[in-house]
Amino acid sequence: MGSSTEAEYAAFLEKVRRTVYLDNLSPKVTESVLKTALNQFGSVKNVQFIPNYLESKNIQRFALVEMDDSNQAKAVLSSMGEFPFMMSGMPRPVRARAAEVEMFDDRPIKPGRTIQCRWLEPDDPDFQVAQKLKRVVRKHAAEASFVLKQQVDQEEKLAKQQADALKQNYKKYELLDGILADGTANRLAWYYGMRNLDD
């Protein structure tokens, strides 16, 4: 039994080596968007979004992406470390780092590791420490939820600005194409004594 546990854990460590942790993902990034963006580095085997356990549970902001081998994972890390990596025109650059064992909720038990649990009575000295930790965790969760909401609001505003700018640019290009197509630009060039645009 010990050897099978060790083999299972060794296989898991190999999976960790070929997995990349991505954060700063827009809520609009889906599994297919991630696969399309990262297929340039190799073959994506699996995408697992890490759920956000704060108030906005439907926002996917972190993902573990398993590549076909560790060299492909290193290529992703190298590229995203050197240059801002925009995914599918989203307003924020994606950040990447090597995955760690603790990031996987399905990790097997490390061979030789034992965990002991016990109930704390109110008169136990560790009870006060546990209570303090509980309060700190709640405070941190509230702060993180507030920051996340602000960031999503800013992102939606930026996405709207980008969409509006894109529409305006498209209208300008349509106008220019129309002027060139109907010969108005050539007539204006002739009238003002300028070179013909086709020259």
Side-chain angles (χ1 to χ4, degrees):
M1 173 153 171
S3 63
S4 67
T5 306
E6 289 173 8
E8 181 184 358
Y9 196 76
F12 168 71
L13 289 179
E14 183 55 39
K15 175 183 174 182
V16 171
R17 280 191 280 277
R18 63 177 180 259
T19 302
V20 178
Y21 170 78
L22 300 179
D23 71 352
N24 220 23
L25 292 171
S26 170
K28 297 179 183 177
V29 171
T30 62
E31 182 174 341
S32 61
V33 168
L34 270 177
K35 284 185 176 180
T36 303
L38 297 183
N39 273 339
Q40 61 185 303
F41 302 106
S43 178
V44 176
K45 282 184 76 173
N46 185 34
V47 174
Q48 177 189 351
F49 285 103
I50 299 173
N52 173 12
Y53 292 107
L54 302 176
E55 290 176 9
S56 306
K57 292 184 180 179
N58 61 338
I59 296 177
Q60 299 165 337
R61 303 183 51 79
F62 318 100
L64 291 169
V65 180
E66 183 183 353
M67 304 299 288
D68 209 29
D69 61 49
S70 59
N71 290 332
Q72 293 175 4
K74 287 176 187 171
V76 172
L77 294 170
S78 173
S79 179
M80 288 191 188
E82 281 185 56
F83 309 104
F85 192 83
M86 304 302 282
M87 193 166 291
S88 188
M90 295 303 160
R92 65 156 73 97
V94 177
R95 295 181 301 218
R97 66 181 171 114
E100 298 173 12
V101 171
E102 293 77 17
M103 294 176 177
F104 295 82
D105 57 0
D106 61 343
R107 64 184 177 269
I109 297 171
K110 188 174 183 178
R113 181 177 178 204
T114 58
I115 298 175
Q116 295 180 349
C117 299
R118 65 184 177 98
W119 288 102
L120 293 176
E121 297 296 330
D123 57 346
D124 191 317
D126 289 340
F127 185 80
Q128 295 304 320
V129 174
Q131 290 292 88
K132 187 184 279 187
L133 283 173
K134 190 174 178 182
R135 286 192 296 273
V136 168
V137 166
R138 283 186 181 155
K139 180 181 175 190
H140 175 71
E143 290 170 352
S145 178
F146 175 77
V147 169
L148 180 63
K149 184 178 182 324
Q150 296 300 315
Q151 194 172 4
V152 168
D153 290 346
Q154 288 175 357
E155 212 172 88
E156 287 173 354
K157 184 178 175 184
L158 181 58
K160 184 180 182 313
Q161 289 173 350
Q162 288 175 340
D164 291 344
L166 190 62
K167 284 179 189 174
Q168 293 300 323
N169 288 337
Y170 184 71
K171 285 181 184 177
K172 289 176 190 175
Y173 289 129
E174 275 187 331
L175 180 65
L176 288 173
D177 281 344
I179 290 172
L180 290 172
D182 69 4
T184 303
N186 289 332
R187 287 194 301 275
L188 287 172
W190 173 81
Y191 181 79
Y192 288 106
M194 300 172 72
R195 276 183 44 217
N196 191 326
L197 293 174
D198 295 333
D199 292 347

